[in-house]
Amino acid sequence: MIPGVLVGHHHRIEAGWATGTTVVLVPAGAVGAVDGRGGAPGTRETDLLDPANLVQQVHAVCLSGGSAYGLAAADGVMRWLAERSIGFPVGPQPHHVVPIVPGAVIFDLPMSSWGNRPDSSFGYAACEAAAEEFALGCVGAGAGARVGSLKGGIGSASTTVGAHRIGALAVVNAAGEVVDRATGLPWLPSLGTSAVALPERKPEGLNTTIGVVAVDAALSKAECQRLAMAAQDGLARAVRPAHSMFDGDTVFALATGAVPLAEPRPFALDALCAAAAEMFAEAVVSGAREATSLNEVKAFSDL
C-alpha cells in the first residue's frame, strides 16, 4: 500500500467459524487520527488520537471481526510490538515502551457459532503475517463481513498525488448496499455496469465498515484527521445508506512523514483529502468485488 506500512491477516473459515483480524503495522511509527460515524461503534484507543492529546504516533491499527469481543485481538498486537521494543517510551530501558494500537471491530457474530470470535492470538498471528503485499477478499477481518444482501470482504486501492502515495484499506461490512436495489446497478461504475438481481436481505441489525487510509506525507494529527474525515465521504459514495444507526463506521488515517507536504500547505492537503475519498470508495468497491460466496451469503461476483 504505502512504503513503511505493512498489512497482515489471520482468520478462521471452517465449520462454525467465519471471522478474523487484520493488522496495519507501522513499526517505525506514524502520525495517526480517526473519524467515527454511525450509531454503533466498537473501538479502542480512539480518544488518544484527538489532536489535543499527548501521543503523536501509533504503531499499528487493529481491525477485527467479533464485535466488541474482537477488540481483544489488539492485545496480541501489543504483545508482538512489545517483544520488539516498539512503542511509546515510558522508561529508561529500550523495552520500557507502551505500543499504541488503536482499533475497531465489525459485527460479524451471526457468521460463526456463538463463542467463536477473534482473541489476542488472532492479532499476534496477523502481525506475524504482515507484509507489503497482502490478500484481498474474504480474509482477515473481512472473513465474515457482509455488505447489504451480499458477502463483503477486505478491499484496497491506492494512487499517486503529486509527490505523495496514498492508499486505503476497507473492511466492507455495511448495512447499506453497494448496488441500487431499484435498478440493480452498482452505485460506482468500477464495480460493474450491468444490472444484477440482488438476493433478499435478512436484516441482522448491526454492521459497520472500518478501515485505514495511509499516506507518505508529513502531516500533523489535525491534518490526519481531515484525511480520515474525507475518507468517510468515499464510503458514502460507494454504499447507500451509510453511517446508519446500525453502523459504527470508523476510518483511521496514518501519515508516515517520509515526504514533506508541498506548499502552499492547505492546497496540498486538500488534494490528498480528495484522493482519500476516492481511494476509500474504490477500496469499498474492491472489498465487494473480491469477496466470494460463503454458505448462503452470495458474493457480487456470483451474480
Side-chain angles (χ1 to χ4, degrees), residues 39-257:
T43 57
R44 163 198 166 107
E45 295 277 48
T46 51
D47 282 353
L48 62 78
L49 298 180
D50 188 306
N53 291 336
L54 172 66
V55 171
Q56 296 298 306
Q57 292 197 325
V58 304
H59 307 98
V61 174
C62 184
L63 309 173
S64 188
S67 190
Y69 296 107
L71 292 171
D75 294 341
V77 182
M78 286 192 69
R79 180 163 59 90
W80 190 91
L81 290 165
E83 289 174 357
R84 291 153 181 80
S85 299
I86 298 172
F88 182 78
V90 294
Q93 299 300 319
H95 64 282
H96 292 173
V97 297
V98 176
I100 306 301
V101 184
V105 292
I106 66 168
F107 182 83
D108 62 355
L109 296 179
M111 297 293 286
S112 300
S113 297
W114 188 257
N116 292 347
R117 55 237 182 187
D119 56 18
S120 63
S121 69
F122 278 63
Y124 193 95
C127 291
E128 290 281 273
E132 292 182 357
E133 302 292 331
F134 52 94
L136 301 177
C138 299
V139 295
R146 299 177 64 166
V147 54
S149 54
L150 301 173
K151 186 71 180 72
I154 295 273
S156 183
S158 62
T159 190
T160 299
V161 181
H164 300 291
R165 190 75 182 164
I166 184 169
L169 181 144
V171 185
V172 187
N173 188 64
E177 301 278 8
V178 290
V179 172
D180 182 355
R181 296 197 73 94
T183 64
L185 294 171
W187 296 114
L188 292 184
S190 53
L191 185 56
T193 55
S194 300
V196 297
L198 289 178
E200 183 180 353
R201 171 90 194 269
K202 295 180 180 179
E204 299 292 351
L206 297 172
N207 299 273
T208 296
T209 295
I210 55 180
V212 175
V213 58
V215 65
D216 59 8
L219 302 180
S220 67
K221 286 175 73 175
E223 290 168 334
C224 256
Q225 192 172 45
R226 295 300 307 182
L227 211 63
M229 292 168 65
Q232 292 273 22
D233 295 336
L235 171 58
R237 295 175 191 173
V239 174
R240 304 179 195 180
H243 311 141
S244 75
M245 284 297 293
F246 306 104
D247 290 296
D249 301 328
T250 302
V251 179
F252 298 91
L254 299 173
T256 66

